Amino acid sequence: MKTCRFESKVEQWFDGESDDAGAVEHHLTRCAACADYVQILRVTREGALAVAGGRPAISDAQWPTFVSGIREEIETQQNRYNRGWWAMLSLVSASLVVATSVFYMITGPQKPAVADTTIESYSTEIDGATTESFYTDNGTATVWVNLPEGDMW
Amino acid sequence: MVNFAGLACAIVMLTAQTPHLVAPGTVEAATRAKIRVVAVDARVENRAQKHFDRGLESVKPALKDLDYDAFYLLKSAEVNCDFDKQTDIQISADYTLHVTPIEKTADGRVRLRCQITMPPKTPGGESVSALNTTLLMAPGKHLNLGGLKLKDGELIVVLSLRG
């Protein structure tokens, strides 16, 4: 709301477009309404700059809240990261367990290697006969009686 | 957490698969051993190709490397032998097989005492232990007991322990 007929000239001066800056500045020293209007224009310009991307001013009173807000955001991001990491680890663990279990169920329990037959002792009561043990070419354990020539009875 | 659930799942699934495991060094309680006995008359007949009687297919691997070219089936039997108890199997008119399972070891083998006896040399005497052996027998494997005289060949007894 314009209250002084110089206000349009004051606006041009404020925007740096005045042809007669000296006259406007002289008027401002004498017109309280125009002086107030200039103050309003300054506040408006600063607000517009802030909205348009200019750096907002943070007062000393606002600083603790500003810092705590930053800290809170960082911690939130860290928690999100940690949750993601644990979720990934859990997924990998579960997948490994399932894969191992399925493999184990499909292949069945590992049977222990079958030990060979082991001859521990051997003997004969046949007079003149001897005994021996050996394995045939295909690994069959064998106990053999070697009889003397002639009638064994 | 998901990983706790996964670990729990793993424990359940793995333990469900392992009740059959036997701790090393322990002996399973066993009451009987199933043993297959095949008695063979093995001869040298100068054959171009080795002959195996019908019924000897299962023991052919145990016999084929021996220095005979004809194998005739004398007796085939499957016996359930009580542990610590002697089981007698008449093989021929002259020979009797005595089998005594002693124990089953942790690795699945059976300690076995085998004896083949034959009639006494003199009437009224005691039977002669022609062959006496103690062994640890593995399931599914063969054991040959041989060398004793038959009328025209030699006696081979093939034993195998059933699973």
Side-chain angles (χ1 to χ4, degrees):
Chain A
M1 185 175 64
K2 295 180 180 178
T3 55
C4 179
R5 62 187 178 89
F6 272 90
E7 279 187 3
S8 59
K9 293 183 182 294
V10 169
E11 286 171 358
Q12 289 174 351
W13 170 82
F14 188 78
D15 290 334
E17 297 171 357
S18 175
D19 294 330
D20 191 359
V24 174
E25 287 170 4
H26 179 70
H27 172 74
L28 287 173
T29 58
R30 293 192 301 164
C31 177
C34 285
D36 290 340
Y37 186 50
V38 167
Q39 190 60 32
I40 290 169
L41 289 174
R42 284 200 178 105
V43 172
T44 304
R45 174 175 287 178
E46 288 176 2
L49 286 173
V51 171
R55 185 178 297 171
I58 300 171
S59 66
D60 291 342
Q62 292 172 321
W63 190 253
T65 306
F66 176 71
V67 170
S68 66
I70 291 173
R71 184 183 295 120
E72 189 176 321
E73 183 64 20
I74 291 171
E75 288 172 353
T76 302
Q77 292 288 340
Q78 185 65 37
N79 288 339
R80 282 187 196 140
Y81 173 78
N82 288 341
R83 278 201 300 273
W85 191 85
W86 276 110
M88 181 62 71
L89 183 65
S90 302
L91 187 63
V92 170
S93 301
S95 302
L96 192 62
V97 165
V98 169
T100 304
S101 302
V102 168
F103 175 79
Y104 196 74
M105 283 187 286
I106 290 173
T107 58
Q110 294 292 316
K111 292 181 179 177
V114 177
D116 285 328
T117 294
T118 305
I119 309 293
E120 295 182 326
S121 66
Y122 46 87
S123 63
T124 182
E125 291 180 354
I126 298 174
D127 290 339
T130 60
T131 52
E132 62 176 328
S133 74
F134 58 89
Y135 290 86
T136 63
D137 290 345
N138 76 339
T140 302
T142 303
V143 180
W144 208 259
V145 181
N146 297 302
L147 297 170
E149 292 296 323
D151 187 0
M152 62 182 173
W153 282 279
Chain B
M1 297 284 291
V2 178
N3 55 329
F4 291 148
L7 288 173
C9 177
I11 290 166
V12 168
M13 296 178 92
L14 291 176
T15 51
Q17 293 286 322
T18 54
H20 60 285
L21 294 179
V22 177
T26 61
V27 177
E28 288 182 27
T31 56
R32 282 185 158 188
K34 184 182 283 188
I35 297 169
R36 181 173 166 78
V37 178
V38 178
V40 177
D41 180 355
R43 303 179 189 180
V44 178
E45 298 179 339
N46 298 315
R47 289 171 176 258
Q49 192 171 4
K50 290 196 175 189
H51 165 78
F52 294 88
D53 262 359
R54 290 186 65 178
L56 294 179
E57 293 83 3
S58 64
V59 295
K60 190 175 175 181
L63 298 171
K64 67 182 178 63
D65 293 328
L66 299 174
D67 294 330
Y68 304 91
D69 55 21
F71 300 89
Y72 299 99
L73 177 63
L74 291 177
K75 187 181 185 87
S76 178
E78 193 164 278
V79 291
N80 286 309
C81 304
D82 291 327
F83 275 76
D84 291 324
K85 186 177 177 183
Q86 180 175 295
T87 300
D88 302 332
I89 303 140
Q90 190 70 41
I91 293 173
S92 67
D94 291 330
Y95 296 106
T96 304
L97 174 68
H98 312 276
V99 179
T100 308
I102 300 168
E103 63 173 347
K104 188 171 186 178
T105 59
D107 59 10
R109 294 188 291 179
V110 172
R111 179 166 279 109
L112 208 61
R113 184 166 60 242
C114 300
Q115 187 181 37
I116 298 175
T117 57
M118 61 186 195
K121 194 170 183 179
T122 54
E126 289 186 357
S127 61
V128 176
S129 175
L131 177 57
N132 189 7
T133 183
T134 302
L135 59 132
L136 272 172
M137 193 161 189
K141 302 287 181 71
H142 295 299
L143 167 72
N144 291 334
L145 303 176
L148 298 171
K149 292 286 187 191
L150 292 172
K151 183 180 178 184
D152 295 313
E154 292 186 353
L155 175 68
I156 299 173
V157 180
V158 184
L159 289 88
S160 50
L161 179 66
R162 299 300 207 177

